[in-house]
């Protein structure tokens, strides 16, 4: 989870928080305690307003957690592994092993976040309505009222059909479903994201420069717009990869039939007796019972001085099976590569439908596939 502050696990999923969250939470607390709640709920002590400000900030980030948890749980139901969830300066992020493999899965994983935010918003407003409207209870109700409105706003904002917002992914899923072309869907949602981001940047600049503008709103619009535009540009750059890998399976890119390395043999003996092809950069390690125990990589061999190869056993240099990513030969190629990228080892074992090892896969397969993809050329004139 990088430099995130670990917060434990929810539903078995790692939860972390960026240091920036502490800064933005402090900002919300100060703004709500000094100007927001004193204007909306009159007649309370300074201590009460500070407690309410902190409670409002906490309520916001708890609802953001519900939003991300919705993404994570639906992704897991779709068979997509989830590495972690993290609260960040601009909301939150769910780190999944791979992207959804169907338009329906992408729609369900994406739309559940705004639905969760809207549900929190409605629930908070109902609580605010039920709380008595007098004394300190009025301030408590105001905290829930504010949290409800903010969540409804976030739900609406996230459904704007522009990448990288959830609404952009919903738009992408819809185009993908209609056209059957994921690359085209990614391109259109990214274009919408760039336009949306630039509009927000323009609004932000005008508010910052105008005499009657709101500097705080302008700074927020500028920050959010720049983030949306940058993320959309990154997605647009990735569209050719989606196009090149469309319809490709692991079997199309794997290094097939790598030589097996006996766990008890020395590295030198394995190198003398095997004849790997150039694309073979990883080798299944076989135990005395014939079962696969791990994976030996060419990089690991090269990292050891050759003088040790005669005495170093293959099994002691191999990655153990529990650290490896295992993919099927008929899996879609792009999600398989994404799983490898997020794993502990930059190589995966490829198995057939019957469980037999048929190859290995590593990130270099992406470049090989792109190199083998014919360039589309326009027909020449007569």
């Amino acid at each position: 989870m990088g430099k995130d502050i670990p917060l434990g696990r929810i539903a078995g999923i790692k939860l972390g928080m960026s240091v920036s969250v502490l800064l933005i939470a402090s900002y919300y607390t100060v703004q709500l305690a000094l100007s927001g709640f004193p204007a909306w709920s009159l007649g309370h002590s300074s201590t009460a307003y500070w407690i309410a400000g902190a409670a409002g900030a906490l309520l916001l980030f708890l609802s953001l957690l519900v939003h991300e948890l919705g993404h994570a749980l639906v992704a897991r139901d779709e068979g997509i592994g989830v590495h972690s969830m993290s609260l960040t300066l601009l909301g939150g992020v769910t780190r999944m092993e791979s992207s959804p493999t169907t338009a329906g899965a992408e729609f369900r994983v994406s739309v559940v976040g705004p639905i969760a935010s809207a549900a929190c918003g409605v629930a908070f407003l109902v609580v605010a309505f039920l709380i008595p409207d007098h004394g300190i209870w009025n301030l408590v109700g105001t905290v829930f009222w504010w949290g409800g409105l903010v969540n409804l706003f976030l739900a609406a904002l996230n459904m704007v059909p522009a990448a990288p917002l959830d609404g952009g992914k919903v738009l992408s899923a819809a185009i993908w479903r209609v056209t059957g072309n994921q690359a085209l869907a990614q391109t259109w949602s990214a274009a919408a994201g760039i336009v949306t981001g630039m509009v927000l940047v323009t609004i932000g600049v005008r508010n910052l420069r105008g005499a009657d503008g709101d500097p705080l709103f302008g700074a927020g619009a500028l920050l959010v717009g720049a983030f949306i535009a940058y993320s959309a540009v990154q997605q647009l750059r990735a569209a050719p990869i989606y196009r090149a890998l469309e319809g490709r399976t692991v079997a199309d890119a794997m290094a097939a039939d790598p030589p097996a390395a006996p766990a008890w043999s020395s590295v030198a003996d394995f190198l003398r007796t095997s004849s790997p092809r150039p694309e073979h950069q990883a080798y299944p390690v076989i135990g005395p019972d014939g079962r696969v125990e791990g994976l030996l990589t060419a990089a690991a061999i090269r990292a050891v001085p050759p003088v040790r190869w005669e005495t170093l056993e293959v099994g002691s240099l191999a990655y153990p099976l529990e650290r490896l990513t295992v993919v099927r030969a008929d899996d879609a190629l792009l999600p398989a590569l994404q799983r490898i990228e997020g794993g502990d080892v930059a190589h995966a074992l490829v198995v057939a439908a019957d469980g037999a090892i048929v190859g290995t896969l590593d990130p270099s397969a992406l470049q090989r596939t792109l190199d083998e993809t014919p360039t589309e050329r326009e027909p020449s004139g007569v």
Side-chain angles (χ1 to χ4, degrees):
M1 299 175 64
K3 297 181 180 179
D4 284 354
I5 301 171
L7 299 178
R9 290 177 178 267
I10 296 181
I13 302 170
K14 290 181 182 179
L15 173 64
M17 178 181 70
S18 169
V19 177
S20 62
V21 170
L22 299 177
L23 300 177
I24 195 67
S26 299
Y27 169 79
Y28 279 126
T29 299
V30 171
Q31 288 296 315
L32 291 173
L34 296 182
S35 59
F37 291 149
W40 302 326
S41 181
L42 305 177
H44 305 290
S45 67
S46 176
T47 300
Y49 286 129
W50 279 105
I51 294 174
L58 178 61
L59 197 65
L60 172 61
F61 284 102
L62 286 177
S63 57
L64 291 175
L65 176 58
V66 172
H67 178 110
E68 295 305 323
L69 187 60
H71 287 311
L73 294 180
V74 173
R76 202 159 64 178
D77 286 344
E78 295 289 341
I80 304 170
V82 178
H83 290 301
S84 62
M85 298 181 296
S86 178
L87 298 179
T88 67
L89 176 64
L90 296 177
V93 59
T94 300
R95 300 183 179 94
M96 295 179 284
E97 285 185 350
S98 64
S99 56
T101 57
T102 67
E106 181 170 55
F107 174 83
R108 290 186 289 273
V109 172
S110 302
V111 78
V112 69
I115 290 176
S117 293
C120 285
V122 172
F124 292 162
L125 290 178
V126 169
V127 171
F129 177 77
L130 295 176
I131 289 177
D133 189 22
H134 57 79
I136 195 65
W137 287 109
N138 179 266
L139 180 58
V140 175
T142 301
V143 172
F144 281 98
W145 169 79
W146 176 82
L149 293 182
V150 168
N151 270 277
L152 291 179
F153 170 76
L154 290 177
L157 177 64
N158 268 283
M159 280 307 294
V160 172
L165 301 175
D166 292 330
K169 296 175 184 177
V170 170
L171 172 65
S172 177
I175 297 174
W176 184 6
R177 181 65 177 268
V178 171
T179 65
N181 190 326
Q182 187 179 14
L184 179 64
Q186 293 281 334
T187 300
W188 277 100
S189 63
I194 293 172
V195 172
T196 300
M198 295 311 298
V199 168
L200 288 175
V201 167
T202 302
I203 293 173
V205 171
R206 286 183 174 179
N207 271 268
L208 289 173
R209 296 181 62 182
D212 57 347
D214 184 343
L216 184 61
F217 173 77
L222 182 62
L223 178 64
V224 173
F227 169 76
I228 291 176
Y230 174 79
S231 300
V233 168
Q234 297 302 109
Q235 179 172 307
L236 190 62
R237 289 177 175 174
I241 297 178
Y242 282 84
R243 188 176 299 111
L245 300 187
E246 191 170 12
R248 300 291 186 100
T249 65
V250 169
D252 296 326
M254 69 180 182
D257 303 319
W264 62 89
S265 71
S266 69
V267 172
D269 285 340
F270 167 67
L271 294 176
R272 280 192 291 265
T273 58
S274 64
S275 301
R277 298 191 297 272
E279 69 269 22
H280 289 146
Q281 295 296 305
Y283 321 100
V285 175
I286 307 299
D289 58 358
R291 295 183 179 181
V292 176
E293 294 184 347
L295 191 70
L296 177 66
T297 66
I301 295 175
R302 290 191 293 267
V304 176
V307 295
R308 293 185 54 200
W309 291 353
E310 290 290 349
T311 58
L312 183 63
E313 287 190 354
V314 164
S316 64
L317 188 59
Y319 290 102
L321 198 59
E322 59 267 18
R323 292 187 59 188
L324 301 178
T325 301
V326 179
V327 297
R328 285 175 50 119
D330 56 356
D331 284 346
L333 179 56
L334 180 58
L337 291 172
Q338 290 171 333
R339 287 181 59 196
I340 296 171
E341 185 179 3
D344 290 340
V345 183
H347 297 265
L349 286 171
V350 182
V351 299
D354 60 1
I357 304 295
V358 293
T360 60
L361 187 69
D362 64 83
S364 65
L366 173 60
Q367 190 58 52
R368 290 199 304 271
T369 304
L370 295 177
D371 292 341
E372 294 169 359
T373 302
T375 304
E376 294 183 5
R377 298 179 181 177
E378 295 187 8
S380 58
V382 177

